[in-house]
Amino acid sequence: VVREGDTHVGIDTNLISCDAIDFDSALQAGHLARALELYRGPLLEQFFGESAAADHWLDQEREHFRTAAADAAWSLATRYETDQNLTHAAKWARRAARLAGPDERRIRKIMTMLDAAGDRAGAILVFEDFAKFLASALEVAPSDETRALADAIRGSTRRP
């Protein structure tokens, strides 16, 4: 444990590793796949603060890590798509979908990418999982635009 005055307490990262710190470091170094290996879900998922301020801080940190992981997965998906490696692109796109949260625009991009890669079933599964998430977490349904894209994919029509 390292102390800096009366207000800051930390750890000596030369002696102890922390997956959250390693995650941010991997992202900053551009090692996206490594960062995603480190991301295993919400930060301190079973932990609740002793105050509203602590809970608010923890919620913000959880969102930071989830969003950063989603961005990293999407970056890898688009990188592999650009390289015409559609198998890896689809793998990372599905990971990005699991991390997308309520980001419906990203879900549509992922569905479009999977459909273009020939993974219609994967695109529809992303839609169905997203619809279930919205219903359970927010009690809403996907937008008309997202439902129309799913219907177009089901009908084998390509979206311009």
Side-chain angles (χ1 to χ4, degrees):
V1 176
V2 176
R3 288 188 71 138
E4 294 177 15
D6 293 334
T7 59
H8 182 77
V9 176
I11 60 170
D12 183 344
T13 57
N14 294 318
L15 300 174
I16 298 174
S17 70
C18 171
D19 59 352
I21 292 170
D22 293 346
F23 173 83
D24 277 336
S25 296
L27 286 178
Q28 289 173 2
H31 302 279
L32 304 181
R34 173 64 183 141
L36 288 165
E37 286 175 17
L38 293 165
Y39 184 81
R40 294 184 194 102
L43 177 69
L44 301 171
E45 189 170 21
Q46 301 301 317
F47 181 80
F48 299 95
E50 294 184 16
S51 68
D55 282 339
H56 179 71
W57 173 84
L58 191 53
D59 287 343
Q60 287 180 316
E61 290 299 301
R62 286 175 177 148
E63 183 61 13
H64 156 74
F65 286 111
R66 184 198 61 78
T67 301
D71 290 346
W74 180 246
S75 292
L76 285 170
T78 58
R79 184 183 302 166
Y80 281 110
E81 181 185 38
T82 299
D83 293 342
Q84 297 297 308
N85 186 334
L86 300 181
T87 300
H88 281 90
K91 169 190 164 186
W92 291 114
R94 285 190 293 273
R95 178 82 185 266
R98 288 191 300 274
L99 295 166
D103 187 345
E104 200 154 350
R105 287 177 298 215
R106 179 163 284 168
I107 290 295
R108 286 193 298 271
K109 288 178 183 178
I110 293 164
M111 291 169 60
T112 301
M113 177 187 280
L114 290 171
D115 181 41
D119 188 2
R120 288 179 45 221
I124 295 304
L125 283 173
V126 164
F127 170 76
E128 290 175 354
D129 288 346
F130 181 69
K132 289 175 190 171
F133 165 75
L134 288 180
S136 67
L138 303 172
E139 298 179 1
V140 297
S143 70
D144 291 341
E145 185 177 355
T146 305
R147 284 195 308 272
L149 176 58
D151 291 343
I153 292 169
R154 282 187 180 107
S156 298
T157 59
R158 298 285 179 201
R159 190 165 190 230

